[in-house]
Amino acid sequence: MRAFHQTMSNATTIDLRLKSVFDLTDEELQERLRPTYEAMKKEKFAKGGYITYYDPSVCPTTSHAVHEYADRKDLMWMDDKYQEHFIKTL
């Protein structure tokens, strides 16, 4: 069985994985989660799905969200009855 340190590729990755998530800066946490996020995104897109997130730079209110597909991003709006409505392709 290989030791933990032998399986990691660089010192930065090792340091981030050994630190508690509560001790990480926003940038460190983002870097630590990047491989998991990329794998999840790849799997979702391979199945024809999408991921949803709020982006304050394109969403005018919290009732808006971005649906990201493998080939495009759509701005969506959710009404009071929780029905989603297409606004535009970004």
Side-chain angles (χ1 to χ4, degrees), residues 18-31:
L18 294 177
K19 287 174 76 172
S20 166
V21 294
F22 302 109
D23 296 332
L24 296 172
T25 65
D26 289 344
E27 295 80 17
E28 289 173 331
L29 182 59
Q30 185 177 17
E31 188 60 33

Side-chain angles (χ1 to χ4, degrees), residues 24-75:
L24 296 172
T25 65
D26 289 344
E27 295 80 17
E28 289 173 331
L29 182 59
Q30 185 177 17
E31 188 60 33
R32 182 171 170 180
L33 295 175
R34 184 179 315 282
T36 303
Y37 169 74
E38 292 299 330
M40 178 273 311
K41 189 172 157 180
K42 183 178 178 180
E43 179 181 335
K44 195 66 143 169
F45 290 167
K47 293 179 180 178
Y50 61 89
I51 56 173
T52 303
Y53 55 90
Y54 174 77
D55 182 349
S57 67
V58 295
C59 298
T61 71
T62 55
S63 296
H64 290 77
V66 175
H67 283 191
E68 182 177 343
Y69 297 85
D71 61 343
R72 71 181 190 283
K73 294 180 183 182
D74 294 339
L75 180 62

Side-chain angles (χ1 to χ4, degrees), residues 8-19 24 28 31-32:
M8 302 309 294
S9 60
N10 65 40
T12 304
T13 304
I14 293 170
D15 291 343
L16 293 180
R17 294 198 45 96
L18 294 177
K19 287 174 76 172
L24 296 172
E28 289 173 331
E31 188 60 33
R32 182 171 170 180

